[in-house]
Amino acid sequence: MISVDQALAIVLSPIVPLGAETVAIESALGRVLAEDVLADIDLPPFDRARMDGYGVRASDVIKAPVRLRVIGEVAAGATFDGEVRAGCAVKIFTGAPVPHGADSVQKVEVTETDGENVIIKEPVKPGQFITPRASETAAGERIAERGQKIGPAEMSVLASFGYAQVETGKRPRVAVLSTGSELVEVSALPVGAQIRNSNSYTIASYAEQAGAVVDLLGTIEDTIQSTCRALLEASEDRDLVITSGGVSMGDYDLVKAALEEIGAEVYFDKVSIRPGKPTVFGRRGGTFFFGLPGNPVSTSVTFNVFARPAIRKMQGERSPLLPMVRAALARAIKDASNRRSYLPARLYVEDGRALAAPLKWGGSSDLVAFVRANSLIVVPEDVHEIPEGDLVEVMALNDL
Ligand code: AMP
Ligand code: MG
């Protein structure tokens, strides 16, 4: 059986970014940059006042108090055309450009005015309360890089440097399907052996969060004909098809057989992971397929370990893997499995220290226990017991 790392390498190696498209800044949040962001102007674009007060020549105010003649004023958005000569001052407001001749600002709190003149009551140092032109960023500097996800800070940079439009990675088109003759719609009350289809919603929401454009295609009966038909239909114009269920060893586990039947190449159908061993990955033409196991916790774990990095890479994300954190174990773990385990956990900070608490769960079908999970504790193949307080690797399910 292949390891998680081998499986991930098999998943990521044939996947290439889908290419770029231009979007308006209004739609850029959450997308991935497909170009470097360069500063088109200096920031600040001029020597800028940091305080309300008076623009002065520091050489006039080596000692204080000093009386200076007020020759004008300049507010944010305005400019002062004249020059501040010796013995003069200009009233200035935060954010305004410092006038020619002035090299410092004194704050209004330590001044007094009689209209025509101002008395500066404390001495100033050259450059005081001025943010010099280009001191934050010089025009031409590279501010953000291709492959970076666009969050609020990147939005602010795009806006500052004139990116009304920006090149971003195309979002993968993903179809989501659930197999299982026992499944009924959310609006139905399950009777007898029926259960509600929750996995489609789990997968669709994780996929959307990862940046995909998702179509929910409903459920498939456990017959080879309907599975083949549904997979074929789903693959049309899609970059990725994700199914749940139908990948174990039972007579009604038909996803792998159906993939082969429709001419897909199946790259693997088992991985040394717990939960989630029977995960299937394949490809037909330009469409990739994940057959995730049907037990809801297995579905969530295998989506995050395998499918999420795939979706991120399709958008050109530079680091498609989920962030790993080291945290101290809040409670001892026993884990008999020889596969690599991903245990639902709560990652939190206490007294400045990252802690990971494994959650009590009733096995891979216990989706309600998973609600409290924000991370997965990774227990290596050959480790079967970890005492409280030991450092463990934790996969964060949310962006850090
Ligand atoms: P399977 O992998 O098809 O054998 O399914 C394993 C278990 O997961 C079964 O108990 C199913 O009822 C459950 N299951 C399968 N598909 C879903 C789904 N879409 N939503 C919720 N549970 C499911
Ligand atoms: Mg099934």
Side-chain angles (χ1 to χ4, degrees):
M1 208 178 349
I2 58 171
S3 70
V4 172
D5 294 331
Q6 286 168 327
L8 251 183
I10 292 171
V11 167
L12 292 179
S13 74
I15 289 177
V16 288
L18 297 171
E21 65 186 357
T22 310
V23 302
I25 187 171
E26 287 78 10
S27 326
L29 182 67
R31 312 265 316 220
V32 177
L33 284 172
E35 62 176 328
D36 291 345
V37 174
L38 304 177
D40 69 333
I41 52 169
D42 293 335
L43 274 193
F46 44 81
D47 294 340
R48 186 172 61 197
R50 244 185 358 241
M51 290 278 184
D52 295 326
Y54 291 86
V56 301
R57 302 167 74 105
S59 53
D60 280 347
V61 202
I62 293 168
K63 286 195 189 130
V66 168
R67 178 187 297 265
L68 301 172
R69 192 158 65 83
V70 180
I71 58 171
E73 70 163 49
V74 55
T79 48
F80 180 78
D81 290 333
E83 191 179 341
V84 179
R85 295 179 193 283
C88 297
V90 162
K91 192 168 186 192
I92 197 164
F93 297 89
T94 304
V98 177
H100 280 297
D103 59 8
S104 323
V105 169
Q106 186 52 291
K107 57 184 176 187
V108 71
E109 290 87 338
V110 295
T111 66
E112 239 169 62
T113 175
D114 61 9
E116 231 164 86
N117 299 295
V118 61
I119 296 162
I120 310 282
K121 296 191 288 188
E122 284 183 12
V124 306
K125 293 193 194 81
Q128 169 175 313
F129 298 140
I130 292 175
T131 308
R133 172 174 188 164
S135 61
E136 290 159 358
T137 311
E141 252 179 68
R142 188 163 54 159
I143 309 302
E145 282 176 38
R146 167 201 286 261
Q148 214 168 311
K149 190 160 175 174
I150 302 174
E154 287 77 15
M155 289 296 284
S156 133
V157 162
L158 290 173
S160 292
F161 298 116
Y163 285 80
Q165 318 254 303
V166 61
E167 290 290 297
T168 62
K170 281 197 180 134
R171 302 173 65 189
R173 295 155 303 174
V174 175
V176 175
L177 285 162
S178 284
T179 72
S181 297
E182 75 276 31
L183 300 177
V184 294
E185 286 312 311
V186 176
S187 54
L189 183 66
V191 292
Q194 296 178 328
I195 58 157
R196 288 197 179 103
N197 169 20
S198 60
N199 285 346
S200 284
Y201 297 90
T202 315
I203 295 171
S205 27
Y206 276 129
E208 258 174 38
Q209 267 187 357
V213 179
V214 177
D215 288 312
L216 272 179
L217 299 188
T219 60
I220 319 174
E221 293 277 309
D222 289 320
T223 67
I224 190 79
Q225 293 87 345
S226 40
T227 310
C228 287
R229 194 175 337 112
L231 288 176
L232 264 182
E233 268 176 37
S235 63
E236 221 160 280
D237 290 325
R238 300 269 169 34
D239 304 299
L240 180 61
V241 176
I242 308 178
T243 64
S244 97
V247 290
S248 317
M249 296 303 285
D251 291 348
Y252 297 100
D253 292 322
L254 301 164
V255 169
K256 185 190 170 199
L259 281 174
E260 284 167 345
E261 182 80 25
I262 65 168
E265 187 177 350
V266 173
Y267 293 122
F268 59 76
D269 62 1
K270 256 177 218 61
V271 185
S272 181
I273 185 172
R274 190 184 79 105
K277 180 168 95 172
T279 300
V280 175
F281 178 65
R283 171 190 205 163
R284 181 176 172 276
T287 307
F288 291 92
F289 292 86
F290 279 107
L292 306 182
N295 268 314
V297 176
S298 311
T299 312
S300 294
V301 167
T302 51
F303 180 92
N304 281 290
V305 174
F306 301 113
R308 196 151 147 185
I311 291 173
R312 288 159 67 118
K313 189 167 180 196
M314 286 176 178
Q315 293 166 88
E317 261 203 81
R318 202 179 23 193
S319 322
L321 299 184
L322 295 199
M324 299 292 293
V325 190
R326 284 188 158 215
L329 199 57
R331 234 188 341 271
I333 289 177
K334 277 200 168 55
D335 174 49
S337 169
N338 286 324
R339 291 175 260 149
R340 187 185 295 178
S341 299
Y342 287 80
L343 308 178
R346 187 93 207 145
L347 183 64
Y348 61 100
V349 175
E350 198 174 79
D351 299 330
R353 198 165 73 122
L355 286 163
L359 297 172
K360 285 200 177 62
W361 55 309
S364 54
S365 61
D366 193 353
L367 73 149
V368 173
F370 205 77
V371 167
R372 295 195 54 234
N374 61 359
S375 57
L376 301 168
I377 295 172
V378 183
V379 184
E381 290 78 349
D382 52 354
V383 173
H384 302 296
E385 256 187 275
I386 308 177
E388 182 185 321
D390 268 25
L391 284 181
V392 286
E393 295 279 337
V394 183
M395 175 188 275
L397 294 176
N398 303 313
D399 283 342
L400 289 180

mmCIF file of all heavy atoms in Angstrom, residues 3 29 225 245 282 322 360:
data_model
loop_
_atom_site.group_PDB
_atom_site.id
_atom_site.type_symbol
_atom_site.label_atom_id
_atom_site.label_comp_id
_atom_site.label_asym_id
_atom_site.label_seq_id
_atom_site.Cartn_x
_atom_site.Cartn_y
_atom_site.Cartn_z
ATOM 1 N N SER A 3 2.127 5.118 0.692
ATOM 2 C CA SER A 3 2.038 6.017 1.845
ATOM 3 C C SER A 3 1.286 7.290 1.451
ATOM 4 O O SER A 3 1.062 7.563 0.263
ATOM 5 C CB SER A 3 3.441 6.386 2.317
ATOM 6 O OG SER A 3 4.040 7.224 1.345
ATOM 7 N N LEU A 29 -10.813 38.928 -4.067
ATOM 8 C CA LEU A 29 -10.592 38.329 -2.743
ATOM 9 C C LEU A 29 -10.706 36.810 -2.808
ATOM 10 O O LEU A 29 -11.662 36.277 -3.379
ATOM 11 C CB LEU A 29 -11.611 38.888 -1.743
ATOM 12 C CG LEU A 29 -11.465 38.379 -0.302
ATOM 13 C CD1 LEU A 29 -10.162 38.877 0.309
ATOM 14 C CD2 LEU A 29 -12.637 38.802 0.556
ATOM 15 N N GLN A 225 -24.265 0.895 -14.101
ATOM 16 C CA GLN A 225 -24.728 1.746 -15.198
ATOM 17 C C GLN A 225 -24.900 3.189 -14.737
ATOM 18 O O GLN A 225 -24.403 4.114 -15.379
ATOM 19 C CB GLN A 225 -26.068 1.248 -15.766
ATOM 20 C CG GLN A 225 -26.007 -0.084 -16.478
ATOM 21 C CD GLN A 225 -26.175 -1.267 -15.496
ATOM 22 O OE1 GLN A 225 -26.055 -1.101 -14.273
ATOM 23 N NE2 GLN A 225 -26.412 -2.452 -16.033
ATOM 24 N N GLY A 245 -18.276 7.774 -1.133
ATOM 25 C CA GLY A 245 -18.846 6.440 -0.996
ATOM 26 C C GLY A 245 -18.481 5.533 -2.148
ATOM 27 O O GLY A 245 -17.870 5.951 -3.144
ATOM 28 N N GLY A 282 -7.897 9.193 -9.952
ATOM 29 C CA GLY A 282 -7.703 8.835 -11.348
ATOM 30 C C GLY A 282 -7.862 10.026 -12.267
ATOM 31 O O GLY A 282 -8.047 11.167 -11.819
ATOM 32 N N LEU A 322 -1.703 22.138 3.071
ATOM 33 C CA LEU A 322 -2.260 22.861 4.214
ATOM 34 C C LEU A 322 -1.157 23.133 5.234
ATOM 35 O O LEU A 322 -0.209 22.370 5.350
ATOM 36 C CB LEU A 322 -3.374 22.042 4.871
ATOM 37 C CG LEU A 322 -4.615 21.801 4.034
ATOM 38 C CD1 LEU A 322 -5.791 21.419 4.925
ATOM 39 C CD2 LEU A 322 -4.990 23.015 3.218
ATOM 40 N N LYS A 360 -12.957 13.372 21.282
ATOM 41 C CA LYS A 360 -13.587 12.049 21.413
ATOM 42 C C LYS A 360 -14.495 11.859 20.207
ATOM 43 O O LYS A 360 -15.334 12.696 19.911
ATOM 44 C CB LYS A 360 -14.423 12.020 22.691
ATOM 45 C CG LYS A 360 -13.599 11.916 23.940
ATOM 46 C CD LYS A 360 -14.451 11.404 25.114
ATOM 47 C CE LYS A 360 -13.602 11.226 26.358
ATOM 48 N NZ LYS A 360 -13.020 12.524 26.816
#
